[in-house]
Amino acid sequence: MISGTFTLASQSATGTASSAAGTASRARASGTAAEPLLFGPENGIVRRLETLVHEPQPAFNPLVFCGSSGTGKTSLAMLLVDLRAQHLQTTNVFRTTGADFARAASHALETDSVAEYRSRMGRADIVLIDELQRLANRAAPLEELQNRLDGWLRRGSLVVVTMKTLPVETAGLSPGVISRLSAGLCVPLLPPEQATRAALLAHYAEREQLTLSTDARERLVQRTNSTPAFLTAASLRHALLQLAHLSSTNKRPIDEALVDELLADHLPDEKATLRQIVTTVAKHFEISLSALKGDCRQRNLVMARGVVVHLARQLTSASFATIGELLGKRDHTTILHSARKIVELIDLDPELRQHVEHLRQQLTATEVHR
């Protein structure tokens, strides 16, 4: 590993070789926080957080992670929540998003069920609110969040939040919410620098058992005015899968020339890629697009939606919210649950695992030749 980089992992991602291998395969399928996360010196403060979640009462609360798309803030938040839950040996975790919190709070107010709503949330030992900035300019939900934050912090519950920007820089938040979030630890996450991208690339190449020439590695992680760089972990992983397909199909080594061919074509538009995943999965399982995006809970449809979710997380950098929007405007929490459930099914069902691998190969081939 390159000097200065370090990893964070849940207990389930460490241990014996066999359990680690199982975790790695599940992480590849889901793209969830079960996979160890690698950070570079540009995000060195993250190293301190692993010990913080093991303290009886965290020294900093709330924990607020800020950063642009692809910096890993949601994956880091999920991992720290998992670590805290393992330490406390609790399953009493409340996970939501800013948009879902706003909808639930508004519904509780409209249906006169505020007491039940507050009781359900108030018992949580750990709270995760992803994309909190989506609460901006929502006066009633923001007031409710301020009250819930007071309750959680009095109770000693760890609150973990992700946002695009620092609370004080996020337009539309109330002063009360800003002050409570800012009283904890706000951690701006930066995109990986070149040395960290090199470490990420080495990690993914080893995991996929791929050999890249030195020139190919340098070409993939460099940043120049004339060459697009793969600046996030997700984009590097995606590029490596495409290179693996090109190498296998054309029986060529992964060298600088092959990387240049990929760079010349650029990566496909993400929305187009997501639509291609949905269409390909529907055709493979012989179901209509309307059924796949609809409300029916038949087992085969639920399974197919799960396959779409984990392929989207594996092959693109799309967020849970973006995937949910494409799958019939499903909310972030539903997609997150689907991502976790499909991992269990893939792990238990060899036939489903074969379907998934076939679809992955088909989709990477389609993207390379588009």
Side-chain angles (χ1 to χ4, degrees):
M1 184 172 294
I2 292 177
S3 175
T5 62
F6 58 95
T7 59
L8 291 180
S10 66
Q11 293 175 11
S12 61
T14 58
T16 65
S18 60
S19 65
T23 300
S25 66
R26 289 190 293 273
R28 281 196 296 273
S30 68
T32 65
E35 181 179 358
L37 302 179
L38 186 148
F39 292 92
E42 65 275 5
N43 290 310
I45 191 173
V46 172
R47 189 193 295 266
R48 166 80 173 87
L49 301 179
E50 187 173 16
T51 58
L52 185 148
V53 298
H54 291 101
E55 296 173 355
Q57 289 296 325
F60 301 100
N61 196 12
L63 291 177
V64 182
F65 298 109
C66 311
S68 58
S69 178
T71 52
K73 57 186 181 295
T74 296
S75 294
L76 175 59
M78 291 172 63
L79 175 57
L80 291 176
V81 166
D82 287 345
L83 286 169
R84 183 66 174 173
Q86 290 166 5
H87 175 69
L88 296 179
Q89 296 184 327
T90 182
T91 58
N92 195 9
V93 180
F94 177 68
R95 305 171 191 261
T96 189
T97 67
D100 289 340
F101 186 96
R103 281 193 291 268
S106 298
H107 177 75
L109 290 168
E110 292 168 0
T111 59
D112 198 24
S113 57
V114 174
E116 178 186 351
Y117 169 71
R118 290 175 177 171
S119 175
R120 186 172 66 253
M121 286 191 301
R123 294 190 295 268
D125 296 318
I126 309 166
V127 177
L128 170 60
I129 306 177
D130 194 23
E131 297 183 327
L132 185 141
Q133 76 278 354
R134 293 179 178 271
L135 274 167
N137 300 311
R138 306 287 296 273
L142 282 170
E143 182 179 357
E144 183 62 28
L145 175 62
Q146 178 177 319
N147 293 331
R148 292 310 96 226
L149 286 170
D150 287 341
W152 287 322
L153 296 176
R154 280 196 303 268
R155 190 176 187 274
S157 304
L158 177 65
V159 179
V160 183
V161 169
T162 73
M163 307 176 63
K164 295 287 187 185
T165 56
L166 291 167
V168 72
E169 297 173 353
T170 303
L173 295 185
S174 65
V177 168
I178 291 174
S179 67
R180 284 156 179 78
L181 295 178
S182 301
L185 179 64
C186 296
V187 182
L189 295 178
L190 301 174
E193 294 182 352
Q194 183 162 326
T196 307
R197 295 198 298 274
L200 284 165
L201 183 64
H203 168 71
Y204 293 137
E206 180 181 5
R207 193 180 67 181
E208 299 293 339
Q209 298 182 326
L210 297 174
T211 301
L212 285 73
S213 72
T214 301
D215 289 341
R217 290 174 183 266
E218 292 177 355
R219 189 70 160 156
L220 275 170
V221 301
Q222 70 181 345
R223 184 174 192 170
T224 67
N225 292 331
S226 59
T227 305
F230 302 105
L231 299 180
T232 67
S235 61
L236 276 171
R237 184 173 62 244
H238 191 185
L240 200 58
L241 288 171
Q242 291 181 287
L243 286 169
H245 177 80
L246 279 173
S247 174
S248 174
T249 301
N250 300 312
K251 301 189 185 316
R252 292 172 54 187
I254 302 179
D255 55 15
E256 187 176 13
L258 197 65
V259 172
D260 282 341
E261 290 182 21
L262 180 63
L263 289 170
D265 291 337
H266 302 288
L267 290 176
D269 175 73
E270 187 165 275
K271 289 185 179 179
T273 304
L274 288 173
R275 287 194 294 270
Q276 183 67 20
I277 290 172
V278 172
T279 302
T280 302
V281 170
K283 183 177 180 180
H284 180 82
F285 290 112
E286 299 181 343
I287 56 180
S288 68
L289 288 175
S290 59
L292 186 62
K293 297 180 180 182
D295 297 329
C296 181
R297 298 285 301 169
Q298 287 182 2
R299 183 177 178 181
N300 66 318
L301 293 175
V302 172
M303 180 272 297
R305 290 175 195 132
V307 171
V308 169
V309 171
H310 95 256
L311 285 172
R313 291 293 288 177
Q314 184 180 35
L315 299 178
T316 79
S317 57
S319 67
F320 290 119
T322 300
I323 298 167
E325 183 70 18
L326 196 67
L327 272 178
K329 299 187 182 299
R330 285 174 162 78
D331 62 33
H332 175 284
T333 305
T334 300
I335 299 301
L336 179 58
H337 173 76
S338 180
R340 290 175 170 170
K341 186 65 178 177
I342 196 67
V343 173
E344 299 174 7
L345 295 177
I346 291 170
D347 202 34
L348 295 172
D349 188 342
E351 184 177 353
L352 176 58
R353 193 156 54 243
Q354 289 179 351
H355 282 295
V356 168
E357 182 58 27
H358 172 78
L359 284 163
R360 187 178 83 136
Q361 293 177 2
Q362 182 179 349
L363 286 162
T364 53
T366 300
E367 291 168 13
V368 167
H369 294 296
R370 182 176 293 169

